[in-house]
Amino acid sequence: MNSIMESITSDFSYYLKTFNLYLDRTNDHVHMAKFNAEYLPDIVASIGKEGSSSLNVLGVGSGSGKTDLEILGKIQCKHPGLSIQNEVVEPNPEQISSYKAFVKEKSQSLNISFTWNQMTSEEYEKKAKERNEVKKFDFIHMIHMLYYVESVQDSIKYFHNLLETNGKLLIVTVSDGGGWQSLWKTFGSRFINSCVYLDVCKILDDMSINYQIYEVSADLDITECFIEGNEKGELLLDFLTHIINFRKTAPPDLKAEVLQYLLQTPYSREENGKIIFNNNSQTIVVDY
Ligand SMILES: C[S@@+](CC[C@H](N)C(=O)[O-])C[C@H]1O[C@@H](n2cnc3c(N)ncnc32)[C@H](O)[C@@H]1O
């Protein structure tokens, strides 16, 4: 039965369907917006090369751009006199279309130009190297996307090297010690790929790169995952495991263990009849 398990990352539309449901069931974006309001202005205050009239920003794995536009808004507020050139690297065509529609709707008031790269970060790196081009950026962000790159270490190294003087690299991943990290540490080797379990801080430490770390707490309502036959619950379970039709295609022992694990403290709690999973994330800010 194991042989027919398939990763949600093999199908852009399926991935997006599960990811959008996940977004509906978490308050992560609320806490992320709070982080952006409270901390981001200070973080971006010092970016920008002296004498430059514009800022270059790069979003890697931007998704639909909701968080990107929030970030761009904060940068613009801190640097009102400067124009912003924003590059987007995102492989999913549906996400790029959503992002473009969102830009049309929201960014008229902002002095921002957009360059779209519908490709993976590895393809972006390869293309830049082929063109012998080293474009530098004042701010680069990689939000919940490092799980999907071929080599986390190589990606961090490449994008860190693209930072302009005074530039900053912002990385968001699931929290070390949070629910996701624990689930994937326990079961990653039995899922199809072990992408969600990564230790970015160790990688940065090994590379002797300085960083600051901020914990952002969030919840994920996983109640529906325990209602057999509930379509939304199945999709959410698929996103948690990154396996298409997990309930139907996973070996019975794995399915039973995962469902049991998702109920356990300290990563889950019951609240008002709901089962709430720890969805904490960490924001890591790396200096030039
Ligand atoms: C979990 S979503 C996060 C999207 C967005 N940053 C957010 O926080 O809402 C991960 C995103 O990374 C993109 N992605 C997957 N593999 C990638 C790669 N190798 N390079 C760049 N982006 C990738 C996916 O298409 C998806 O939009």
Side-chain angles (χ1 to χ4, degrees), residues 34-49:
K34 218 168 136 203
F35 172 87
N36 289 341
E38 280 176 23
Y39 295 100
L40 202 58
D42 284 345
I43 291 169
V44 299
S46 58
I47 64 170
K49 207 174 163 190

Side-chain angles (χ1 to χ4, degrees), residues 125 129 146 149-161 203 207:
E125 177 178 346
K129 284 181 175 162
L146 275 174
V149 299
E150 282 158 25
S151 161
V152 177
Q153 186 158 3
D154 292 349
S155 291
I156 292 176
K157 193 169 165 202
Y158 175 70
F159 287 104
H160 184 244
N161 276 333
I203 291 171
M207 293 164 87

Side-chain angles (χ1 to χ4, degrees), residues 175-244:
S175 191
D176 196 16
W180 279 89
Q181 189 81 309
S182 166
L183 179 74
W184 278 75
K185 205 171 181 175
T186 309
F187 296 104
S189 62
R190 293 163 71 192
F191 294 158
I192 295 168
N193 44 34
S194 53
C195 63
V196 174
Y197 178 60
L198 29 108
D199 192 343
V200 174
C201 293
K202 180 167 184 322
I203 291 171
L204 292 170
D205 290 339
D206 289 347
M207 293 164 87
S208 302
I209 293 178
N210 290 331
Y211 58 90
Q212 300 91 49
I213 184 160
Y214 305 80
E215 285 290 325
V216 178
S217 58
D219 294 335
L220 176 66
D221 181 352
I222 58 169
T223 316
E224 292 152 310
C225 294
F226 300 93
I227 309 170
E228 201 158 351
N230 182 297
E231 199 194 331
K232 292 189 168 162
E234 314 261 288
L235 284 173
L236 192 53
L237 200 52
D238 291 358
F239 190 70
L240 280 159
T241 58
H242 273 43
I243 291 168
I244 295 178

Side-chain angles (χ1 to χ4, degrees), residues 5-19:
M5 286 203 295
E6 201 185 330
S7 171
I8 58 169
T9 58
S10 64
D11 179 337
F12 278 143
S13 293
Y14 197 86
Y15 178 89
L16 195 52
K17 207 161 130 187
T18 61
F19 179 55

